[in-house]
Amino acid sequence: MFLQALATAVPPEAYTQSDCWDIVQRSALRSRLSRRSMLILHSILRGDHGIAKRHFALPDIKRVFDRSADELNAAFRTQAPKLAGRALSASLERAGIGAGEVDALLICTCTGYLCPGVTSYVAEHLGLRPDAVLQDLVGLGCGAAIPTLRAASHILAARPEAVVACVAVEVCSAAFYLDDDPGVIISACLFSDGAAATVWRSTPGPSRMRAFDFRSLHLPAERDKLRFEQRDGKLRNLLDPTVPQLAARAVGRLWAERGPRPVSAVVAHPGGRDVLEALAPVVAPHRLGPSERTLLSCGNMSSPTVLFALEEALRDGDPGPGGDFWLVSFGAGFSAHSCRLGV
């Protein structure tokens, strides 16, 4: 399938890591967390961990850890469709395609649950046809963008004349939870909000780039090292300290199976600075500059982040005949996913 356009969107409110530390300092968290937890927060938010700023969609972010589960769910219901709609509108405009021409809309997310799903709201707001296929993919975590593209390729294989839109959207601030668990604390210092939208056809677009060679790896024995659980009705992220090494091993297995076609650049989900450092030797001599720049400017937005990194890579130039972009994402499951983007 051929890429027609890619666009991203973040909330207008941006916060530096120092801003986030100032919020912690002025909040009631100081009395609720242990001294060790406060030292971890200070070390990450005031140190150099590869993130300069993050964007949050929730209004009055200073109250994020005091909101009830119902308030967080309501915020996700408002903000996720808004972010997804902005990204998709921009992508359709770049492709020169009207909303009424979209035959299928696929949206992945893991930071909230809606029934009907986010696709219902976005389809209504953008004016998609009532017979458009709407498909929501949930529970795939940070790695979800690439499996969503794979599902789009199956639709296009069945309906070659179709226009298929894919959106990865996360409101991580609606899933913030804080206690004295180090993994929970680190998660709150890394994650942010954003959306990325792509539009696809079975015929070449302006760049002539196509996505192909989709691969997945599932490691259920490692499931509890990276996943959400429910606490008091809220999503609580479990993040084991071995995740960087686990991600590197999983990516290494996919990298070893990539086949003989040359790779000109690796575009990886930037889970965090430690993750990127663990990935670097696996894909060497390829550098992870687009992923590093994405992490610096936006933090870890979960599923859309690999597409933000792809947008960064495309600013450096399209993949030419000398090699493909190799995209890789990973997350809950534990799972990892890859595909190629080339001409």
Side-chain angles (χ1 to χ4, degrees), residues 246-261:
L246 178 58
R249 290 197 300 271
V251 170
R253 288 176 61 175
L254 292 177
W255 180 247
E257 299 170 0
R258 69 191 182 280
R261 284 180 62 102

Side-chain angles (χ1 to χ4, degrees), residues 52-303:
K53 64 178 179 180
R54 294 182 286 162
H55 297 79
F56 301 130
L58 259 68
D60 193 9
I61 196 66
K62 300 177 183 63
R63 292 189 51 245
V64 65
F65 296 111
D66 298 319
R67 295 181 185 274
S68 68
D70 289 347
E71 287 177 308
L72 294 173
N73 291 336
F76 180 85
R77 181 180 178 183
T78 299
Q79 300 299 333
K82 186 185 300 184
L83 263 179
R86 280 180 52 209
L88 182 54
S89 293
S91 187
L92 289 171
E93 183 177 353
R94 290 177 185 178
I97 295 173
E101 299 176 74
V102 174
D103 298 293
L105 171 61
L106 286 65
I107 296 182
C108 62
T109 192
C110 69
T111 47
Y113 174 73
L114 298 179
C115 183
V118 180
T119 55
S120 174
Y121 296 83
V122 174
E124 177 190 18
H125 294 164
L126 268 65
L128 270 63
R129 300 192 318 271
D131 66 342
V133 175
L134 305 182
Q135 183 174 349
D136 294 83
L137 289 82
V138 299
L140 294 176
C142 294
I146 293 177
T148 303
L149 299 185
R150 188 173 197 167
S153 74
H154 296 162
I155 293 175
L156 283 167
R159 295 180 57 189
E161 78 287 356
V163 173
V164 181
C166 297
V167 183
V169 59
E170 303 292 0
V171 183
C172 295
S173 57
F176 278 167
Y177 185 102
L178 209 60
D179 59 24
D180 284 318
D181 180 273
V184 170
I185 293 170
I186 292 170
S187 295
C189 295
L190 299 179
F191 285 96
S192 56
D193 304 342
T198 51
V199 180
W200 304 86
R201 276 180 158 154
S202 59
T203 54
S207 68
R208 305 189 67 82
M209 289 186 298
R210 66 186 180 100
F212 61 102
D213 193 24
F214 290 93
R215 298 174 186 266
S216 289
L217 174 68
H218 301 282
L219 304 171
E222 311 289 356
R223 181 182 296 130
D224 287 340
K225 292 184 177 177
L226 182 60
R227 68 177 179 90
F228 271 131
E229 67 174 5
Q230 293 278 350
R231 284 281 182 92
D232 302 321
K234 299 180 182 181
L235 290 173
R236 179 180 184 270
N237 194 43
L238 299 180
L239 179 63
D240 191 89
T242 62
V243 163
Q245 291 71 38
L246 178 58
R249 290 197 300 271
V251 170
R253 288 176 61 175
L254 292 177
W255 180 247
E257 299 170 0
R258 69 191 182 280
R261 284 180 62 102
V263 171
S264 64
V266 173
V267 180
H269 165 61
R273 184 197 61 181
D274 292 349
V275 169
L276 289 177
E277 289 180 350
L279 292 183
V282 174
V283 298
H286 298 284
R287 301 179 65 84
L288 298 172
S291 302
E292 293 170 351
R293 296 196 298 271
T294 298
L295 184 68
L296 183 70
S297 61
C298 296
N300 181 351
M301 296 165 285
S302 188
S303 64

